[in-house]
Amino acid sequence: MAMNKRYMVTMKGSCSCSMPGVWCAVAHNEGAVVIFHSPKACGHVSRDMELGSHYHSIARQRFISKQYTAPLITSNLQEEHSIFGGTDQLKQCIDYVVERYRPTYIMLANSCVAGVIGDDTQAIAKEAEEEWNIPVMTVPCSGFLDGEYYAGFYYGAKVLIDRFMKKQGRLANTVTLLGTHGGPNGTDAQEIQQLLESFGLQVHCHFPGYASLEDICRVPTSELCIPLGGGRSKSSYSMRQLASDIQVKFGVPFLDHEYPVGWRGIQSWIREIGKSLGQEREAELVVIEQSARLQQQAARCRADLQAIKVVVCIGRPLLHFQPEWVMELLDLVGASIEGIVLFSGLTEEQKEAMEQELKKHTVVPIFEEGTGETILEAADILMTTHELEDESKRQFLLPVLPPLGVGGLIQQLNKLARLARRSEGKGGVLYGW
Amino acid sequence: MAGKEQWDNVYTQVNTCALTGAAAFFAGIPDAAIVANGPLWCYFYARKYLEKSSPSIGQRFFCTQPDNNAVVYGTEECLLELLQSVGQSSSPSVLLIENSCAVSLIGDDIAGIAAEANMPCPVVCIDSGGLIGGFWEGYRAAAKAYFDIMPLNPRRMVKPRTVNLLGCTVGYYNAGSDLKELKRMLTLAGYEILAVPGAGSSTTEIATMAQAEVNLVIHEELGGNLAQYLQQQYGIPYLALLPPYGIEGSLHWLKTLGQTMWMDEQSLQGIQGEANTLSKKLRTNIRDIERLWGDLQFERTLVAAPSSVALGLSQALRLEWADTGSLTVVLHDGIPSCSIPDGMDIVDGQKDSMQIEGLLTNLAAGLLLGSSHEKAILQQRAVPNVICQNIALPVCDEVILSDRPFMGLRGACHMNERLWNRYISFCQRWR
């Protein structure tokens, strides 16, 4: 079986931009306006991302109309500004935005162009703030140059913390969820919320996104902060950093623990919450309840999956994909893993790191792409990070963001079972999100 | 308001980056390869945009992935490395190297680096990031740069009844089917199409363009400048018309072309015959459906698309397909230089964001021909009872897999079908 893959690019460095991260941090915050100090096209790219999220939520019946969306303005840098600088342009843009949109606050994001030109956006932000008497904040990133998406998201949130939050008394049994992950109506937030309710905790704030100024000010009153962010990715790191910042400033503790991915991860996370609240007994009850929930679904899926031969194909480096939950999921339903193939798009260092990680969780043989074709032929299902062009086999495309909680695992099991039930001879791809 | 310039909410506007527009032109040349000299983010965006219409684009579209050091030291190292790899793995007939914004500011001698790589084909080098503009600016720049580097065979002998089609692109919605229909109609009317640069013709076919009698501009916002340039360089006359939509619109388009090229009326016999048959079929079926469901009429209609598409389709809609009520046309690429047909209010899609928002908010019980972008705004504002039909990118909520054009005679049937079926579904929606 040929291993031509769609979308496989060997990533040498950054693959995203900080500006959309800044946008996402405040996109649905009442009263916010975002200005990209950039050519106009950068705004369109972020708008396209937002469009994708919009239809994604509609497709999953999670869409809510009339939600606030921050105006996204670009300063419209052009070639002339690369010679003479763009600070005047930016200042005029801010003046216009204040008069026209009457924002509560403005968030400035810098493009790579602004970074190369060397515009002092911080100084302009300060000048504008003094003139208009509204907060005008900026972040220390420039497009793809000083960090990627999550750097923009993190710094966007950080400036909100530094600017608006004040130390206050604690509200008992309240939690702030840190991170966006599909918003308050997304499955991740809903899953966490349900788990927390088992401990008598109530999510009273989502930060930084979907937060009004009132919500932002409420964060320091939380009893606990919980970062959303999968595995050991940059997303997870940046949310934990944010949580740490809040703890340092306001004394709000956060759950400094691995995200609830995979059954072992979920149990550990639940127990850690119990321990931090002094509710260890309740935590064990929650674990039992979640175990039953998972086992019930696994039993339903086992009939379809236990005789299935699976090959796992990996083309994402460890930073972007942790394989433990996949091994665990397949083990749960008794599926047989015939082997693991590491795609050639990974560098040698990336392959070695992934191999070492895999060996912690499985003794299944690991193949390079060149030698893995035989086991692909024998597989019933390929669980893969990258689509293979040849769709004669059934392919399950592993999600970039790992599934959260038992709800996430159940969703993966159901999809996998559905793929296994496909008519014999019918291949194709099923997306795991 | 402060200053003369207006800064509009990008949220209400449709555009992409010049990097995408330039890549789109070369993506439409099957034996061309493209190198984006810039970050992966910009490359991924452009590639995703082009992939639906050019599924194999990933095999000839590459990215240098410069890091922060490149801003200081230049992109020579990563560009050379990639060019060597491209040279080994493929044999393009022409290569585009397009610089993203930040890279274009560095000042690398890209042509010099390409020469050092000793590529086996001509190399076109342009700065094509957002500093240049959006999709249309990028396409135009790439087209001009192509013809600067790849001269045409001299215009020694003009082949009678031949045309080139300019301004076509894989980067417009349903462009492949529309182009097929244009070619079909032109062939039926006795013309031969020599080349369609940027939309399917190879470098060899493009090289023969100067033999054509006329350059026919399909999308003026993309091909108008190129037509003028080719007239200056090679003496090829050109004709720029709104694209043909509707049955009468298509016949008018062909007649205008025929008059320009001194074709006799007999040449349109075949197409006129087809038009007559289709008209009868449409009339019979639509009258039947009208007796049951009423007529297709709207208090308010909004059409939003690139200017040539929006204006051409609006004409057909207003004159042939529906009672549009007040008709407003939002031009995604801004106000064009061509004349605007009567009977419609025009809005600059690159400005006027508050007006666009207002128009969408007040479109209840109206008709929208646009993209998923405008539709998303309707959904976000919970504007009720709007019948929507996609005619432009971006499209997130529909798929067209078969050959069903919007343009031409077959397009007239297809569009009537879509409009009526949407209307009927709307009438039947479960309350």
Side-chain angles (χ1 to χ4, degrees):
Chain A
M1 183 187 167
M3 286 215 227
N4 293 327
K5 299 163 286 298
R6 292 183 71 193
Y7 304 120
M8 180 100 213
V9 171
T10 302
M11 288 191 270
K12 294 194 278 183
S14 76
C15 62
S16 60
C17 171
S18 59
M19 289 204 292
V22 174
W23 159 255
C24 280
V26 298
H28 300 288
N29 289 8
E30 194 86 36
V33 170
V34 178
I35 297 177
F36 284 179
H37 186 35
S38 74
K40 200 166 187 184
C42 300
H44 293 298
V45 174
S46 286
R47 167 55 182 158
D48 263 7
M49 265 183 63
E50 179 71 17
L51 202 65
S53 300
H54 169 84
Y55 283 101
H56 191 267
S57 69
I58 286 190
R60 286 149 186 81
Q61 283 94 51
R62 292 201 293 270
F63 169 69
I64 295 180
S65 64
K66 298 188 180 175
Q67 209 164 49
Y68 180 83
T69 303
L72 174 55
I73 317 295
T74 54
S75 61
N76 301 344
L77 287 176
Q78 293 174 15
E79 279 188 288
E80 70 206 57
H81 303 115
S82 65
I83 303 166
F84 301 111
T87 47
D88 284 349
Q89 178 82 355
L90 177 60
K91 178 64 176 55
Q92 286 175 43
C93 175
I94 296 172
D95 294 343
Y96 182 89
V97 163
V98 171
E99 287 182 324
R100 177 167 167 177
Y101 294 98
R102 308 276 179 212
T104 308
Y105 59 88
I106 294 175
M107 186 69 80
L108 287 182
N110 305 305
S111 60
C112 51
V113 171
V116 170
I117 293 171
D119 279 346
D120 188 354
T121 51
Q122 206 164 7
I124 297 296
K126 187 166 176 239
E127 185 188 331
E129 180 161 334
E130 280 165 6
E131 183 177 334
W132 295 104
N133 201 29
I134 63 163
V136 181
M137 299 165 283
T138 186
V139 299
C141 311
S142 300
F144 75 99
L145 291 174
D146 303 304
E148 301 190 55
Y149 175 91
Y150 287 109
F153 191 84
Y154 167 75
Y155 283 111
K158 180 84 167 57
V159 297
L160 293 177
I161 293 171
D162 292 341
R163 194 54 195 270
F164 295 120
M165 292 187 191
K166 290 180 177 31
K167 201 162 183 141
Q168 297 176 68
R170 215 49 57 79
L171 286 174
N173 304 322
T174 55
V175 169
T176 289
L177 292 185
L178 299 178
T180 313
H181 273 244
N185 295 310
T187 43
D188 284 2
Q190 301 281 316
E191 181 77 15
I192 294 269
Q193 221 156 283
Q194 278 175 19
L195 284 174
L196 295 175
E197 277 165 12
S198 307
F199 293 96
L201 294 172
Q202 184 211 355
V203 174
H204 76 151
C205 197
H206 294 259
F207 180 78
Y210 301 90
S212 64
L213 213 46
E214 195 186 319
D215 293 330
I216 295 171
C217 294
R218 199 183 302 139
V219 171
T221 68
S222 308
E223 192 168 319
L224 187 66
C225 278
I226 293 181
L228 297 178
R232 279 155 273 157
S233 64
K234 285 181 182 176
S235 157
S236 173
Y237 171 78
S238 62
M239 289 304 99
R240 280 158 90 155
Q241 186 60 48
L242 208 60
S244 171
D245 294 340
I246 293 172
Q247 184 176 40
V248 164
K249 267 195 109 141
F250 307 108
V252 179
F254 72 97
L255 190 71
D256 187 5
H257 195 73
E258 290 285 330
Y259 198 54
V261 173
W263 178 231
R264 269 190 291 276
I266 294 165
Q267 291 177 83
S268 175
W269 190 86
I270 293 171
R271 288 187 175 116
E272 189 61 30
I273 291 232
K275 189 174 154 192
S276 70
L277 297 172
Q279 295 186 43
E280 285 90 338
R281 258 192 71 198
E282 283 79 358
E284 289 307 318
L285 291 173
V286 174
V287 167
I288 291 168
E289 185 191 314
Q290 293 297 312
S291 172
R293 185 182 166 208
L294 181 60
Q295 290 301 334
Q296 189 178 41
Q297 195 55 39
R300 281 198 202 117
C301 297
R302 203 166 282 129
D304 294 314
L305 292 171
Q306 65 186 358
I308 291 291
K309 290 182 209 157
V310 176
V311 169
V312 180
C313 305
I314 301 173
R316 287 183 206 137
L318 200 55
L319 181 65
H320 299 296
F321 175 72
Q322 288 87 53
E324 181 184 352
W325 68 270
V326 178
M327 308 296 138
E328 203 184 58
L329 192 78
L330 293 171
D331 192 51
L332 197 62
V333 290
S336 154
I337 309 176
E338 297 296 292
I340 298 169
V341 173
L342 299 183
F343 286 141
S344 58
L346 295 169
T347 63
E348 288 309 314
E349 292 81 9
Q350 289 168 347
K351 274 184 206 167
E352 203 180 308
M354 183 59 75
E355 244 186 90
Q356 281 176 14
E357 180 66 23
L358 284 165
K359 282 174 179 167
K360 291 180 196 169
H361 307 294
T362 183
V363 295
V364 157
I366 302 169
F367 299 87
E368 298 258 331
E369 184 174 320
T371 53
E373 288 192 29
T374 318
I375 55 155
L376 286 193
E377 291 296 331
D380 296 314
I381 287 179
L382 309 178
M383 288 185 81
T384 176
T385 60
H386 288 76
E387 287 177 49
L388 272 66
E389 292 276 3
D390 181 351
E391 291 193 4
S392 57
K393 288 284 179 192
R394 286 170 276 185
Q395 299 178 49
F396 184 86
L397 205 63
L398 292 162
V400 174
L401 295 177
L404 184 148
V406 167
L409 288 179
I410 288 173
Q411 192 202 40
Q412 298 295 298
L413 282 176
N414 285 339
K415 288 190 175 217
L416 209 50
R418 193 150 43 87
L419 187 63
R421 286 196 297 271
R422 237 176 226 192
S423 311
E424 203 164 318
K426 182 182 176 188
V429 177
L430 197 150
Y431 295 97
W433 54 84
Chain B
M1 290 269 180
K4 287 183 288 190
E5 188 172 344
Q6 287 192 103
W7 285 269
D8 290 285
N9 187 356
V10 162
Y11 192 78
T12 61
Q13 297 166 358
V14 174
N15 205 338
T16 66
C17 178
L19 199 87
T20 306
F25 180 80
F26 277 78
I29 302 173
D31 50 336
I34 309 157
V35 166
N37 191 16
L40 265 183
W41 175 250
C42 305
Y43 161 76
F44 277 146
Y45 177 80
R47 183 171 152 173
K48 184 169 179 292
Y49 188 93
L50 295 171
E51 229 165 13
K52 273 190 207 169
S53 53
S54 305
S56 61
I57 190 68
Q59 291 162 19
R60 53 192 182 98
F61 188 11
F62 310 97
C63 178
T64 55
Q65 302 187 49
D67 59 16
N68 288 16
N69 288 330
V71 174
V72 178
Y73 299 113
T75 59
E76 183 174 353
E77 191 183 321
C78 56
L79 181 54
L80 265 178
E81 187 186 334
L82 182 65
L83 289 178
Q84 274 153 15
S85 158
V86 169
Q88 282 164 8
S89 63
S90 58
S91 46
S93 302
V94 64
L95 174 70
L96 168 70
I97 302 176
E98 51 171 352
N99 289 332
S100 72
C101 297
V103 171
S104 67
L105 294 178
I106 295 168
D108 278 340
D109 177 13
I110 302 297
I113 298 170
E116 195 184 323
N118 209 20
M119 296 304 292
C121 64
V123 181
V124 178
C125 304
I126 57 171
D127 291 334
S128 192
L131 285 171
I132 303 298
F135 182 89
W136 297 281
E137 288 81 3
Y139 179 101
R140 291 195 294 259
K144 167 86 172 30
Y146 174 89
F147 286 98
D148 281 342
I149 298 290
M150 303 283 284
L152 305 182
N153 299 338
R155 186 176 169 81
R156 290 206 184 95
M157 220 172 64
V158 174
K159 280 181 83 173
R161 294 186 298 281
T162 53
V163 296
N164 302 309
L165 304 184
L166 301 190
C168 295
T169 177
V170 300
Y172 274 12
Y173 188 47
N174 206 23
S177 293
D178 279 342
L179 183 57
K180 204 168 159 186
E181 174 64 1
L182 288 180
K183 287 181 173 178
R184 187 190 73 85
M185 289 200 308
L186 286 166
T187 305
L188 197 56
Y191 299 97
E192 183 189 345
I193 299 115
L194 292 188
V196 188
S201 291
S202 65
T203 52
T204 312
E205 287 164 332
I206 294 172
T208 68
M209 275 175 70
Q211 294 173 52
E213 230 185 288
V214 161
N215 278 339
L216 185 54
V217 180
I218 304 299
H219 298 292
E220 193 174 355
E221 66 275 8
L222 293 174
N225 284 7
L226 182 62
Q228 288 170 17
Y229 173 77
L230 292 174
Q231 184 174 49
Q232 279 164 17
Q233 293 293 116
Y234 298 99
I236 313 170
Y238 70 92
L239 179 65
L241 301 168
L242 284 181
Y245 293 98
I247 293 178
E248 293 306 317
S250 300
L251 289 174
H252 174 77
W253 185 78
L254 284 165
K255 279 175 186 160
T256 309
L257 176 62
Q259 282 161 11
T260 305
M261 293 180 68
W262 298 91
M263 298 282 273
D264 61 58
E265 285 194 8
Q266 280 228 301
S267 66
L268 288 181
Q269 230 175 14
I271 207 116
Q272 185 69 64
E274 184 180 321
N276 292 342
T277 308
L278 279 176
S279 291
K280 271 194 197 130
K281 180 181 168 183
L282 273 170
R283 209 164 33 240
T284 309
N285 282 275
I286 288 174
R287 293 294 169 264
D288 187 56
I289 215 82
E290 275 177 342
R291 283 183 211 110
L292 202 52
W293 295 94
D295 55 331
L296 207 56
Q297 62 89 25
F298 305 93
E299 290 281 334
R300 282 165 292 276
T301 301
L302 189 72
V303 178
S307 50
S308 58
V309 173
L311 293 172
L313 255 172
S314 297
Q315 276 273 74
L317 181 71
R318 189 174 70 88
L319 298 175
E320 298 184 42
W321 300 337
D323 289 334
T324 58
S326 75
L327 172 59
T328 307
V329 184
V330 176
L331 306 178
H332 281 171
D333 53 301
I335 306 292
S337 53
C338 66
S339 60
I340 308 287
D342 293 332
M344 50 188 87
D345 297 323
I346 302 297
V347 175
D348 186 335
Q350 287 299 306
K351 297 175 184 171
D352 296 333
S353 63
M354 272 185 154
Q355 188 181 4
I356 295 170
E357 282 181 76
L359 286 166
L360 286 164
T361 307
N362 292 318
L363 198 57
L367 171 67
L368 170 68
L369 301 187
S371 69
S372 295
H373 164 85
E374 287 87 16
K375 197 168 166 189
I377 297 176
L378 291 178
Q379 290 160 340
Q380 279 149 4
R381 283 161 200 240
V383 179
N385 303 333
V386 180
I387 292 177
C388 302
Q389 185 56 65
N390 290 319
I391 58 166
L393 292 175
V395 172
C396 302
D397 61 340
E398 178 183 72
V399 60
I400 301 179
L401 297 171
S402 47
D403 179 20
R404 298 167 70 76
F406 298 153
M407 286 186 192
L409 300 180
R410 294 180 59 238
C413 285
H414 180 210
M415 285 303 292
N416 269 286
E417 190 183 288
R418 279 155 76 89
L419 285 169
W420 271 103
N421 288 342
R422 287 259 191 239
Y423 174 68
I424 293 166
S425 290
F426 172 78
C427 293
Q428 293 185 97
R429 71 199 182 285
W430 192 255
R431 292 185 190 278

